[in-house]
Amino acid sequence: MSSTSGWAAMRSFSRDGSVREHRLAPGTLRRVAALARPHRRPLAVFTALVVLDGALVAVPPLLLRHLIDDGVRTGDRSTVVVLALLVAAVALAEAGLSLVQRWLSARIGEGLIYELRSAVFEHVQRQSIGFFTRSQTGALVSRLNSDVVGAQQAFTSTAAGVLSNAVTLVAVLTAMLVLSWQITLLALVVVPAFLLPARRVGRRLAALRREAMQRNADLGERMTERFGVAGALLVKTYGDDGEESSQFRSRAAAVRDVGVRTALSSRVFFAGLTALAALATAMVYGVGGWLAISGAVTTGSLVALAALLARLYGPITGLANVQVDVMTALVSFERVFEVLDLVPAVRDPEHPRALPAGPLDVELDDVVFTYPAVSTLASLQAGGAGGPAADALEGTGERPVVRGVSLHAGAGQVVALVGRSGAGKTTLASLVARLHDVDSGSVRVGGVDVRETSQAELRRRVGVVSQDAHLFHDTVRANLLYGRADASEGDLWAALAAARADGVVRGLPEGLDTVVGERGHRLSGGEKQRVALARLLLRAPSVVVLDEATAHLDSESERAVQEALDAALVGRTSIVIAHRLSTVRSADLICVVDDGRVVERGRHEDLVARGGLYAELHRTQFSDGPVAA
Ligand SMILES: Nc1ncnc2c1ncn2[C@@H]1O[C@H](COP(=O)(O)OP(=O)(O)OP(=O)(O)O)[C@@H](O)[C@H]1O
Ligand SMILES: [Mg+2]
């Protein structure tokens, strides 16, 4: 048996056998067929080649039989030469066929990966923000990588392997039976002697592989976390080097131990396979030799049988676990389809209305909102499918976070939201940009319910700057162009100047072309917020939703941010989650949010005079800022 089929057999035997009990979602097969349809011509050619190749395997041994019986034993040199050339020709043909096969399977497979991956990416992108807060990024990325690749393997390796093994098995068995049914039977009798232990070793390997994956993930997670800037900083300031090392060592040791056990088990598997083939060959020569002496079979047949035997066990072991192989491939498809079937929580209406041109007012009318308990697939949630974490999340979402809020921001007005941490300010503001849909009540922008217009239109007209504004790992220029793709160089600098960020960018090593963000040049919190404000200015929305940074800046950056804010808010309807005294002072309306309700509203002086929650917040939250000083 060749070592590639040995590997394939081992992979197959060590697959998780529990998939056999898995019930596929209805329609999975039909959808797989629909995916295959555009590739049906290359698939047909590929199938024909696989069948031909599988059948060709039995040919060289039969040619060898003729070579010996009709050439060597009769002394016919020309027959020997012709048949040897034929054997060579078959070998070359097989090589050529395998090349064309591989080319076709790669084209079909990679094409399928490309299609599935793009489809999953585009679909995931359409999900609401709730989906992303609940999904584990790693699990999501793995859907795009391993499951998509697993699904394409169903087409190329699994289906082709099953077909090729089946054809080879039939061809080889037929040839052997014709040559000597006694020896064929003998060769088959020993098969269970291998398959039964192989299943056990396979189960063991499957468990080891699962364990290895888990251990490696632990190790990887540890490194990613400790080597990330935030984690490294924590270790530098709080960590104990010895303790860190010993924890790492114990995880690395676990990986080592699993590796040793896996190596041993797979060697047992291979040794068993090789021994079986060798023993069977000895048996064929032993019994066949007897039969040849008594004239029951010819010497050529004996040689041919031994050669055929070498091609018999590969397909048998390959097919022994076929059910698990096919199910594993189909489950990958199912997991991909599962993501594609997820209906986004926030959807565009069938006939979206345009928002009126010019300034827009914002009105919330008796809005109630609850975070949905489940906004993603269980298998994408932290903790995995049905894990303890999934259960722990069940309880959330029972209680509304926004409980009957009504407020109106006239066109061009600034409404400040203030309140204790966790009061629901960020949540309330996010409803204006329709990041979530309300349970009841309505959010209207320019008199249009946000559910009646398109999300693209909302994105154009409602600008959002979050508390910890994000910049992509890309150049400053690319980050700004994300606000408006067709902005000119002049526009960029004008926006940066208005946001008081032009000096910052000029000071960067490569100016606008400096890479910033996660692994690029680090901007300070205040600098980042100003670049984000420049991005907002480029988009020039009619409504601004702004979560002011809570971090206290020194008075100079504070002034720069304040000026940037004034530039961003002028002439725009603004909902500002305020953390600065200057913002609340100049706001047209202050809404004090407490436990999901607006408990006080008015202007700064009136609210301070009233001596309620605002007056308290004013003392504790706003009075120690640098502006107040
Ligand atoms: N994605 C989420 N899923 C479930 N609950 C959430 C989610 N985000 C926030 N919450 C809960 O909603 C409540 C309000 O949170 P929110 O972020 O709106 O408060 P906040 O007023 O902005 O607070 P802070 O001033 O600290 O930013 C909190 O109790 C929080 O735990
Ligand atoms: Mg908040």
Side-chain angles (χ1 to χ4, degrees):
M1 179 187 304
S2 69
S3 73
T4 46
S5 64
W7 275 109
M10 192 175 82
R11 222 183 18 249
S12 156
F13 273 98
S14 61
R15 285 209 165 108
D16 186 357
S18 67
V19 290
R20 231 174 284 146
E21 276 95 60
H22 183 82
R23 291 179 58 90
L24 282 178
T28 303
L29 281 174
R30 194 158 16 88
R31 294 175 77 173
V32 173
L35 277 172
R37 202 161 299 130
H39 304 281
R40 60 183 176 278
R41 285 175 71 182
L43 266 176
V45 178
F46 178 64
T47 309
L49 291 182
V50 168
V51 170
L52 187 62
D53 199 26
L56 266 185
V57 169
V59 172
L62 295 178
L63 289 174
L64 287 176
R65 169 171 171 256
H66 275 289
L67 191 147
I68 291 171
D69 286 347
D70 306 334
V72 177
R73 290 182 61 206
T74 59
D76 182 349
R77 290 203 160 80
S78 62
T79 304
V80 170
V81 172
V82 169
L83 285 169
L85 284 176
L86 263 179
V87 171
V90 171
L92 286 180
E94 277 194 310
L97 271 183
S98 77
L99 216 63
V100 180
Q101 256 184 51
R102 187 68 195 104
W103 177 70
L104 280 172
S105 77
R107 254 192 40 181
I108 301 166
E110 297 295 327
L112 201 72
I113 292 183
Y114 159 81
E115 288 157 21
L116 279 180
R117 220 174 238 170
S118 312
V120 172
F121 181 84
E122 280 154 25
H123 192 73
V124 165
Q125 216 179 0
R126 275 200 294 273
Q127 298 300 320
S128 72
I129 194 72
F131 170 85
F132 295 96
T133 42
R134 280 293 175 80
S135 300
Q136 237 190 341
T137 315
L140 204 50
V141 170
S142 130
R143 286 291 155 104
L144 266 105
N145 288 331
S146 45
D147 284 326
V148 162
V149 171
Q152 77 72 39
Q153 274 174 356
F155 271 88
T156 49
S157 41
T158 307
V162 170
L163 187 63
S164 147
N165 280 333
V167 172
T168 305
L169 187 61
V170 170
V172 169
L173 266 186
T174 312
M176 287 182 75
L177 280 170
V178 169
L179 292 176
S180 161
W181 63 266
Q182 300 95 325
I183 293 180
T184 310
L185 274 187
L186 210 59
L188 288 179
V189 163
V190 297
V191 168
F194 167 74
L195 284 186
L196 295 179
R199 274 192 196 283
R200 290 190 55 158
V201 178
R203 268 200 297 279
R204 200 175 140 67
L205 275 169
L208 281 171
R209 204 160 60 160
R210 260 198 310 278
E211 191 181 339
M213 254 159 62
Q214 186 57 47
R215 300 276 185 206
N216 272 310
D218 280 355
L219 197 65
E221 191 193 323
R222 191 81 180 178
M223 288 191 272
T224 319
E225 198 174 31
R226 292 306 193 264
F227 294 165
V229 177
L233 188 65
L234 191 60
V235 174
K236 287 279 164 225
T237 49
Y238 282 84
D240 170 348
D241 283 347
E243 179 60 24
E244 285 289 324
S245 299
S246 80
Q247 281 192 14
F248 184 82
R249 273 170 182 279
S250 75
R251 283 169 196 236
V255 172
R256 173 196 63 197
D257 296 342
V258 176
V260 171
R261 279 187 288 154
T262 307
L264 203 66
S265 290
S266 44
R267 182 44 68 190
V268 167
F269 189 92
F270 272 103
L273 210 58
T274 322
L276 167 81
L279 287 178
T281 309
M283 201 160 63
V284 165
Y285 275 115
V287 178
W290 272 80
L291 291 174
I293 291 170
S294 64
V297 297
T298 65
T299 317
S301 297
L302 184 56
V303 172
L305 279 165
L308 283 167
L309 190 70
R311 294 158 163 82
L312 179 66
Y313 294 128
I316 290 182
T317 42
L319 287 172
N321 225 20
V322 62
Q323 204 190 350
V324 172
D325 292 344
V326 171
M327 278 306 284
T328 306
L330 286 176
V331 166
S332 283
F333 266 112
E334 199 184 52
R335 286 162 64 87
V336 172
F337 290 151
E338 196 183 30
V339 175
L340 290 177
D341 288 344
L342 204 62
V343 181
V346 174
R347 291 182 297 279
D348 279 347
E350 215 157 296
H351 305 288
R353 284 174 63 187
L355 296 176
L360 301 172
D361 69 331
V362 173
E363 180 157 30
L364 272 66
D365 185 10
D366 198 19
V367 168
V368 176
F369 172 72
T370 317
Y371 278 104
V374 177
S375 46
T376 184
L377 292 171
S379 53
L380 289 177
Q381 255 173 14
D391 294 337
L393 284 170
E394 281 298 308
T396 65
E398 309 287 285
R399 195 167 181 281
V401 171
V402 176
R403 306 189 295 145
V405 169
S406 300
L407 66 85
H408 182 247
Q413 281 190 337
V414 175
V415 171
L417 301 179
V418 300
R420 296 194 183 99
S421 180
K425 306 179 292 292
T426 302
T427 308
L428 191 58
S430 73
L431 297 176
V432 176
R434 204 190 169 200
L435 294 181
H436 309 281
D437 271 342
V438 298
D439 302 353
S440 66
S442 64
V443 177
R444 284 191 293 277
V445 172
V448 177
D449 191 308
V450 289
R451 286 166 294 192
E452 286 172 7
T453 184
S454 73
Q455 294 171 75
E457 172 90 347
L458 264 183
R459 242 174 262 164
R460 260 192 305 278
R461 304 298 301 280
V462 179
V464 177
V465 178
S466 55
Q467 214 161 351
D468 47 350
H470 187 71
L471 298 180
F472 284 125
H473 169 65
D474 206 336
T475 58
V476 175
R477 184 193 305 279
N479 272 294
L480 289 175
L481 289 178
Y482 210 67
R484 180 150 58 91
D486 61 355
S488 69
E489 184 91 8
D491 296 336
L492 298 187
W493 283 111
L496 285 171
R500 303 296 181 269
D502 49 338
V504 175
V505 173
R506 252 187 227 104
L508 292 176
E510 284 160 80
L512 274 176
D513 295 307
T514 312
V515 174
V516 292
E518 216 134 293
R519 271 169 207 85
H521 190 98
R522 295 236 154 211
L523 297 176
S524 77
E527 290 166 347
K528 208 160 74 170
Q529 184 114 25
R530 279 179 278 157
V531 172
L533 283 171
R535 177 169 62 193
L536 174 92
L537 289 173
L538 282 165
R539 173 140 303 192
S542 307
V543 176
V544 171
V545 175
L546 179 88
D547 212 338
E548 282 186 341
T550 32
H552 281 160
L553 307 164
D554 63 73
S555 39
E556 190 150 331
S557 345
E558 174 71 36
R559 194 170 321 117
V561 170
Q562 194 53 54
E563 285 169 8
L565 279 179
D566 291 345
L569 303 188
V570 68
R572 301 203 161 96
T573 315
S574 317
I575 311 288
V576 183
I577 299 168
H579 296 289
R580 289 188 181 78
L581 189 62
S582 52
T583 311
V584 284
R585 273 210 173 119
S586 59
D588 297 296
L589 174 71
I590 299 168
C591 292
V592 183
V593 183
D594 194 40
D595 198 16
R597 294 176 188 279
V598 175
V599 291
E600 287 173 28
R601 65 180 79 207
R603 292 193 54 110
H604 178 69
E605 289 76 17
D606 310 331
L607 289 175
V608 172
R610 197 180 297 174
L613 180 56
Y614 183 81
E616 186 195 324
L617 287 171
H618 176 236
R619 267 200 316 279
T620 54
Q621 278 193 6
F622 300 119
S623 56
D624 55 353
V627 167

